[in-house]
Amino acid sequence: MKDHIFSGFIGTYTKGDSKGIYSFELNTENGRLDNVKLAAELENPTYVTVSEDKTRLYSVVKEGAKGGAAAFSISDDGGLTELNRQLSDGASPCHISVNKDSDYAVTANYHKGTIEAYGLTGEGSLLSASSVAQHEGTGPNPDRQEKPHAHYAGFTPDGKFIAAVDLGTDEIITYELNDGVLKEAATLDVKPGSGPRHLVFHPERNIAYVMTELSSEVIVLEYSPNDGSFKVMQTVPAIPQTFRENNQGSAIHISSDGRFVYAANRGHDSIAVYSVNEETGKLDFIEHTSTEGNWPRDFVLDPSERYIVASNQETGNLTLFARDAQSGRLSLLQKDVSVPYPVCVKFL
C-alpha cells in the first residue's frame, strides 16, 4: 500500500443493496475517496473496530435470531478473512471495542441493555462471553427510555476500566474487568432524558466527552483513574437553539492533539466543531458543517488527521472533508461516494 493511500472499513445495515462490511481507500495526495468494495459478507455489521496492531477487525453481527461478535484477520492488501464468531439468542450488539493488549473485546447491546466481555485468543479469535452485565432502570422519555439501552462500551486510556454509556437509564457506568468478570466500579447519573450515546477520552487529560442522543448535547466529564468515577464539568448544545425538528446525536471524536472535539447530528445533518480549552478541557463552539447527506451515523479522522470521512446512513453516501489542524474547521471535498446504509467508519 502506498504511503499516501489509507485504507478503511465501513460497517453497514444489511438492507437494500448492502451485503456487509465494505472497504475503501483515501488518497491523501489528491484528497479523494475511492475503491469502495465488499470486504466481508455478513448480516448487520453495524459497528466495527480494529485492533491496536491493525491485524484484526472485530464486528458486531446478526445471524437469524441470534446476535454477537465476529473476528477477522486483515491481510496485507486490506482483505478480511473471518476467524470466528460468538453468538447468543436475541438482538445483536450495537457497539464493540478491543483493549490495547488485544486480549479482550467488549460489546454494548442496545436492545438487551447489557455489556458483554469476550476473551481473545493469541490468534485473535473470540472466546465465548466470559461475563454479562445487565443494566437496570428507565428514563423519563417513554418512547426511548422504557428500559436500559446500552449504547457504548470502551476501555479507559489506562486500561483499568470499561466505561459504559446507557441511553435508556441516563447513566455512565464504569466496570472493572478482572479475570474476564465485569464488576461495577462507579455510576454517574447524567441529566434525566438526555440519552447519552457515545463517549471519547481526551488523549492526555483525565477528561471525557459524551454525545447525548436525545438532548443533542455534549457533556464534558472529569475522570478519576483511581476509582473509575466521572463527574460533570460542562454541558454544551450540539445543535442551534433555533433548530426545532427531530435531531438525534450520534458519534463523537477528538483530534489526537486534544485540541478539537467533533460531534455528529442526525436530523440537523451536521458535524459540530468545538475547540478544547487548554487549561480546563472545556469546550467552545466553533461551527456546524453540513454532512451533505441524511442521518450521519458516524465519522472518522484519517490517520494523518488532515481529513474527516462521514457516513450518511439514509442517503447512502460517504462525505470527505479537509480538516484544518490549526482552526479545526472542515471544508467539503467530496460527497458522491456511494455505500449502502453506512453506519460505522474506521481506518487501518
Side-chain angles (χ1 to χ4, degrees):
M1 185 73 69
K2 294 173 180 166
D3 58 7
H4 65 275
I5 294 179
F6 296 135
S7 59
F9 295 98
I10 308 148
T12 70
Y13 275 112
T14 48
K15 53 188 180 181
D17 295 331
S18 177
K19 304 284 188 217
I21 299 171
Y22 290 80
S23 60
F24 68 94
E25 290 179 353
L26 168 64
N27 186 323
T28 60
E29 273 192 352
N30 62 13
R32 299 292 290 176
L33 292 173
D34 56 25
N35 207 20
V36 175
K37 59 186 179 184
L38 184 66
E41 197 164 333
L42 69 166
E43 192 177 354
N44 279 5
T46 53
Y47 207 89
V48 301
T49 192
V50 176
S51 63
E52 187 83 0
D53 64 4
K54 312 300 184 192
T55 64
R56 303 284 183 266
L57 179 142
Y58 296 90
S59 168
V60 303
V61 62
K62 182 177 186 288
E63 188 178 295
K66 294 176 179 278
F72 298 84
S73 63
I74 304 172
S75 61
D76 290 340
D77 63 358
L80 296 179
T81 303
E82 184 167 340
L83 298 172
N84 77 324
R85 57 181 71 181
Q86 294 289 350
L87 301 164
S88 60
D89 289 336
S92 53
C94 63
H95 191 275
I96 186 165
S97 298
V98 176
N99 66 350
K100 285 179 180 168
D101 294 336
S102 294
D103 55 2
Y104 276 98
V106 292
T107 61
N109 195 305
Y110 178 88
H111 293 284
K112 293 180 177 179
T114 55
I115 306 298
E116 304 194 5
Y118 300 85
L120 301 176
T121 68
E123 293 74 44
S125 294
L126 290 149
L127 300 170
S128 59
S130 59
S131 186
V132 180
Q134 176 67 58
H135 291 181
E136 304 287 346
T138 59
N141 185 314
D143 299 321
R144 299 293 310 280
Q145 297 184 309
E146 80 292 355
K147 64 178 185 176
H149 289 300
H151 218 311
Y152 169 95
F155 294 87
T156 56
D158 53 22
K160 285 170 55 179
F161 298 101
I162 292 159
V165 179
D166 198 299
L167 181 152
T169 63
D170 295 315
E171 290 175 317
I172 317 293
I173 303 173
T174 312
Y175 292 97
E176 293 177 273
L177 183 62
N178 294 321
D179 297 323
V181 178
L182 292 163
K183 182 187 175 188
E184 192 171 319
T187 299
L188 172 70
D189 294 308
V190 297
K191 186 173 75 178
S194 57
R197 176 186 171 94
H198 273 202
L199 177 150
V200 66
F201 279 93
H202 191 285
E204 291 154 9
R205 307 174 63 134
N206 291 321
I207 291 175
Y209 303 90
V210 173
M211 182 61 164
T212 69
E213 180 167 329
L214 303 183
S215 65
S216 302
E217 294 170 314
V218 178
I219 307 170
V220 183
L221 303 176
E222 185 179 345
Y223 166 64
S224 168
N226 297 323
D227 59 7
S229 65
F230 291 97
K231 65 181 183 184
V232 176
M233 295 170 55
Q234 182 193 24
T235 302
V236 296
I239 54 173
Q241 288 182 322
T242 53
F243 189 78
R244 299 290 184 210
E245 296 165 53
N246 174 44
N247 187 76
Q248 297 177 24
S250 59
I252 186 164
H253 298 291
I254 189 169
S255 57
S256 62
D257 59 10
R259 292 181 59 206
F260 300 100
V261 166
Y262 299 86
N265 291 297
R266 297 169 296 175
H268 191 248
D269 295 338
S270 66
I271 295 174
V273 184
Y274 305 88
S275 63
V276 179
N277 185 294
E278 287 184 24
E279 301 296 318
T280 65
K282 291 182 179 180
L283 299 181
D284 290 304
F285 174 75
I286 297 176
E287 68 172 0
H288 286 108
T289 300
S290 169
T291 60
E292 305 292 335
N294 294 346
W295 219 246
R297 190 71 179 243
D298 194 17
F299 62 93
V300 64
L301 283 78
D302 83 298
S304 75
E305 300 201 351
R306 290 163 50 205
Y307 300 93
I308 277 181
V309 180
S311 58
N312 292 299
Q313 178 184 313
E314 293 307 308
T315 39
N317 67 306
L318 301 184
T319 305
L320 178 66
F321 301 95
R323 189 183 86 94
D324 187 313
Q326 295 310 307
S327 70
R329 292 175 182 269
L330 307 180
S331 51
L332 177 66
L333 294 177
Q334 197 179 2
K335 60 181 179 182
D336 57 354
V337 185
S338 181
V339 179
Y341 296 100
V343 178
C344 174
V345 198
K346 287 284 187 291
F347 274 100
L348 268 184

